[in-house]
Amino acid sequence: MAIIKQAARQTLGQLIGANNPIVTVPDDSQRQYSWTKKEVDVYWADIEKFKEGRESGRESSSEYFIGPVVTITAEQVSGRALLDGQQRLTTSTILLAVIRDVLWQTNAPEAKLSANNIQRDYIARKSGRKDPMEYFLVLSLFDRDFFRDYIQTWSEITGECARTEAATRPSHHLIKDAYSNLYSKVQSRLQCFADDEDRLDYLDSLRECLIYGLVFVEIQTPTSSDANEVFETINSRGKDLSTVDLVRNFLMEKSRGLHEKERVNNAWRSLLDDFDRREDIEKFLRHFWVSRHGDVKSHSLYVTIRKSLTDHFDRRPQTYGVGTFAAELENAASRYAELLSQNTGDPDFDVSLSEIKALSADALYPLLLSASENSAYHEMKDLATAALSYYVRWTVVGTRESTLLEENLFGVAKELSRGGALVDAVKRIVGWVPDDDAFYAAFRDASIPKQAQSRYLLTKLEVFLRAEADVHDELALVSGKIHVDNIYPSRPSESLKSEEHEAWVNRLGNLTLLTGRRNQAIANLPYSEKKHIYSDSPMLVSSRTQVDSLWDSDASIWRMQGIVERQEYLASIALKVWPSIIPECA
């Protein structure tokens, strides 16, 4: 069993900084920096949400618990070896560097002083002019020099990092991307303010949120074996102290007598029976709460649930108790499991649910969960159709900010849970769906690198084309039976490569569906040698959507204008596949 010296609450400013032991990522026990745009976007969204809540004065939002870190700490604490938590600490340091750089660029003396203080206090400093630089977060061998060059070794004279190191590893590019992403987000946020004073206030507030509000639990261990055991326990599939476990313990604590305790246990047995994966239970609990109360992020879910339910449970006389909540949870869980597994008994509705799953459109589940409380599944088809059109037109093809879509859908879910009419909910969602002109323009230019999304879009187009052509032969349109194919090859020969290759290869006009297994050797052939694969294909999206326009047969070269032309054609079909107005709402 692992020995833990102590587990203590630490703010970011207490973990890294001039007055703390240096945090070092061991060369032999940590992966390189691995956060992609997806993880950085989630991190930023959570920081923004936390900052907003903190400034509102709500007690539950005074701190943001970002997770545990595991360190190996000797008896005399002169430094700490970091085993778990590298991604969060590295990204937090990058965001501090962004704030530092943006402050310096304002050219105000006060801002430059603040930039210098951030650098000296939380990133790196020199004790004396001839002393070596002291870095407060030291990454492992593979990223150390690049991270220092690109983020940490900053000149108080020029306000810049040297940035002479070439990005030679994928992790280096991810560090650069994380910086650029966060820099863009901060600059975009600053455009909301009219003058420099407000911008400086925002940057100062963001800095305070990170330094004093971002909270970790540092688990200190004496040896690497102890640290590894703790790390494996924290990252195991059935990890302790999940939100679900915390909620159950809270409900047991608040139960009045054996009857309520048994009611809670019955509800939890149902949760374990209804879901195959613990992750689905976690997702259900958040979506259940969101469906009734509006948006709440995973990191603050337990605090929010505890505070809200405590207010109810402690009220005298009590009108809403543990037993009632447990019963509601159990009832909702069975319906959520049916939504998740597309097993509602209504074939048309289950098709919509399969589309939601294929798109990983989790934002739609709280809406459908609320509606299912008072409506039969066959009555919810228009709601699902409207929500899918909204999601596809806004997020998948339109690539617009998903936060607004979630706020809108979660708000409708909350209204439905309080007795709102289903028809009114559909009309509200239809009102938010981007109009045909906007959708056509977005679809015409869309590039879809995520294969699950491109397969979904092309499959829906195929279904429509088959209905239009009155083709009724059976064809399994599932991911195991078909694959997405790049007409203009994703890996062309050297003669085909160009600076614009990446801009064209994932355009929807260059994508189609083929049956059977992907054959990369065939995929990279010139079009003249594989055109029969498309013309003879049973997939209409391959045989009847102008695929041949991508090839100039006279010059025997790829014709990029053909991608544009074919995509315009597909966009005209897409208007009918994902309508902006549901017929019943017209």
Side-chain angles (χ1 to χ4, degrees):
M1 182 175 292
I3 297 173
I4 297 177
K5 292 176 60 177
Q6 69 172 8
R9 170 194 172 280
Q10 300 271 31
T11 63
L12 178 64
Q14 292 169 326
L15 270 176
I16 57 173
N19 299 318
N20 308 311
I22 290 173
V23 176
T24 302
V25 179
D27 291 338
D28 60 351
S29 62
Q30 263 282 6
R31 62 183 181 180
Q32 301 165 52
Y33 185 72
S34 62
W35 272 15
T36 64
K37 182 178 185 300
K38 177 182 177 181
E39 286 84 15
V40 174
D41 284 348
V42 170
Y43 170 86
W44 172 256
D46 285 348
I47 294 294
E48 280 271 83
K49 191 82 173 180
F50 162 59
K51 180 177 179 297
E52 177 184 343
R54 192 170 191 260
E55 291 172 351
S56 72
R58 294 196 299 268
E59 183 178 349
S60 63
S61 299
S62 59
E63 295 179 344
Y64 170 26
F65 174 63
I66 195 170
V69 295
V70 180
T71 61
I72 307 166
T73 311
E75 287 299 326
Q76 299 298 321
V77 185
S78 57
R80 291 175 289 191
L82 182 68
L83 189 70
D84 185 33
Q86 178 196 173
Q87 310 301 322
R88 286 163 283 153
L89 284 181
T90 303
T91 307
S92 297
T93 298
I94 292 172
L95 181 52
L96 285 171
V98 166
I99 298 171
R100 172 200 68 195
D101 294 348
V102 174
L103 279 167
W104 181 274
Q105 291 161 10
T106 64
N107 288 320
E110 176 190 357
K112 290 191 173 184
L113 178 62
S114 294
N116 289 336
N117 288 338
I118 289 174
Q119 173 67 16
R120 295 172 185 173
D121 292 342
Y122 302 108
I123 300 177
R125 71 172 179 180
K126 282 186 176 183
S127 298
R129 186 171 62 88
K130 295 185 178 180
D131 291 328
M133 186 72 76
E134 182 181 38
Y135 301 94
F136 303 139
L137 176 63
V138 180
L139 297 190
S140 63
L141 177 65
F142 299 106
D143 291 340
R144 183 182 303 149
D145 291 342
F146 183 82
F147 189 67
R148 288 176 176 178
D149 181 73
Y150 202 83
I151 300 295
Q152 293 176 303
T153 308
W154 187 77
S155 169
E156 294 184 7
I157 298 175
T158 64
E160 296 177 344
C161 289
R163 297 185 178 170
T164 55
E165 285 271 341
T168 58
R169 298 187 176 97
S171 55
H172 299 172
H173 291 288
L174 291 176
I175 289 169
K176 289 179 65 175
D177 291 345
Y179 177 90
S180 298
N181 187 2
L182 291 171
Y183 183 87
S184 175
K185 291 182 187 302
V186 171
Q187 288 285 25
S188 176
R189 190 68 179 83
L190 291 178
Q191 292 177 6
C192 301
F193 302 105
D195 55 51
D196 286 343
E197 192 68 20
D198 290 338
R199 297 186 186 97
L200 291 178
D201 286 345
Y202 171 81
L203 292 170
D204 193 55
S205 175
L206 182 58
R207 176 191 62 82
E208 284 196 3
C209 281
L210 290 172
I211 298 302
Y212 304 114
L214 210 57
V215 172
F216 303 77
V217 170
E218 182 191 12
I219 303 173
Q220 293 185 358
T221 61
T223 68
S224 60
S225 61
D226 292 312
N228 275 312
E229 188 173 338
V230 173
F231 173 80
E232 289 170 6
T233 300
I234 290 174
N235 290 278
S236 65
R237 183 175 179 272
K239 64 182 180 182
D240 294 331
L241 297 181
S242 68
T243 299
V244 173
D245 294 325
L246 290 169
V247 170
R248 178 186 176 276
N249 291 341
F250 164 69
L251 293 175
M252 295 296 280
E253 170 196 332
K254 288 293 184 180
S255 292
R256 296 181 178 183
L258 294 176
H259 175 71
E260 285 197 336
K261 289 182 184 293
E262 184 61 23
R263 194 71 194 82
V264 173
N265 282 331
N266 288 339
W268 250 252
R269 289 189 194 99
S270 295
L271 290 183
L272 295 174
D273 290 342
D274 285 336
F275 302 102
D276 295 328
R277 304 186 309 155
R278 192 178 183 89
E279 295 92 329
D280 290 337
I281 302 177
E282 297 273 356
K283 185 163 70 171
F284 158 70
L285 185 61
R286 176 173 175 253
H287 286 172
F288 169 77
W289 193 263
V290 167
S291 72
R292 290 167 171 255
H293 303 280
D295 192 18
V296 59
K297 299 304 179 189
S298 297
H299 68 79
S300 58
L301 179 60
Y302 172 66
V303 172
T304 302
I305 290 176
R306 183 183 180 94
K307 184 178 186 307
S308 177
L309 292 182
T310 296
D311 291 342
H312 285 288
F313 297 162
D314 291 350
R315 195 169 295 159
R316 297 292 186 276
Q318 188 186 77
T319 58
Y320 185 81
V322 170
T324 303
F325 177 77
E328 292 174 348
L329 200 65
E330 183 176 356
N331 181 272
S334 63
R335 290 182 281 114
Y336 190 86
E338 291 172 346
L339 295 172
L340 213 58
S341 62
Q342 310 114 60
N343 188 27
T344 67
D346 184 273
D348 290 338
F349 186 58
D350 286 345
V351 168
S352 294
L353 293 175
S354 67
E355 293 180 25
I356 291 170
K357 184 176 182 179
L359 285 170
S360 298
D362 286 357
L364 276 58
Y365 285 120
L367 174 74
L368 300 178
L369 183 61
S370 280
S372 68
E373 186 169 1
N374 297 306
S375 301
Y377 290 131
H378 71 270
E379 298 173 325
M380 295 168 53
K381 185 64 173 71
D382 285 347
L383 181 71
T385 301
L388 274 166
S389 281
Y390 184 23
Y391 189 85
V392 170
R393 285 185 174 227
W394 184 275
T395 301
V396 178
V397 175
T399 63
R400 304 191 192 189
E401 177 55 53
S402 61
T403 302
L404 179 58
L405 176 140
E406 291 179 355
E407 289 177 356
N408 287 340
L409 292 181
F410 295 165
V412 173
K414 183 177 176 181
E415 291 174 8
L416 284 171
S417 72
R418 298 183 179 185
L422 193 63
V423 64
D424 292 337
V426 175
K427 288 179 179 178
R428 287 194 66 189
I429 294 170
V430 167
W432 294 321
V433 176
D435 63 28
D436 286 352
D437 289 342
F439 181 53
Y440 179 83
F443 200 100
R444 182 190 60 202
D445 299 326
S447 180
I448 309 291
K450 294 182 179 179
Q451 192 164 109
Q453 291 184 346
S454 60
R455 179 186 289 114
Y456 164 78
L457 295 172
L458 292 167
T459 299
K460 288 286 289 181
L461 292 171
E462 175 70 21
V463 170
F464 178 85
L465 289 169
R466 296 173 83 80
E468 288 281 286
D470 201 28
V471 175
H472 301 292
D473 60 304
E474 292 292 328
L475 187 64
L477 297 176
V478 294
S479 58
K481 301 295 183 181
I482 61 172
H483 65 268
V484 176
D485 181 71
N486 298 88
I487 304 166
Y488 162 69
S490 58
R491 297 178 184 176
S493 64
E494 290 297 326
S495 62
L496 294 176
K497 288 184 178 179
S498 70
E499 294 180 0
E500 296 183 343
H501 170 73
E502 291 301 324
W504 291 107
V505 70
N506 289 317
R507 285 281 297 268
L508 277 170
N510 186 49
L511 304 179
T512 192
L513 296 176
L514 292 176
T515 56
R517 294 182 178 180
R518 178 188 299 275
N519 187 328
Q520 196 63 56
I522 294 176
N524 290 325
L525 292 174
Y527 182 78
S528 57
E529 296 181 35
K530 63 175 183 176
K531 62 180 180 179
H532 66 280
I533 297 174
Y534 302 115
S535 60
D536 296 342
S537 173
M539 308 297 291
L540 303 190
V541 76
S542 290
S543 61
R544 303 189 187 182
T545 59
Q546 305 175 10
V547 169
D548 57 355
S549 65
L550 275 64
W551 182 255
D552 186 332
S553 57
D554 293 332
S556 294
I557 58 173
W558 290 103
R559 183 173 173 268
M560 297 311 172
Q561 182 59 28
I563 295 177
V564 175
E565 294 167 2
R566 180 171 180 265
Q567 194 156 336
E568 287 177 347
Y569 174 67
L570 295 178
S572 66
I573 301 173
L575 294 174
K576 305 170 186 176
V577 177
W578 296 278
S580 60
I581 299 177
I582 310 305
E584 288 76 0
C585 297

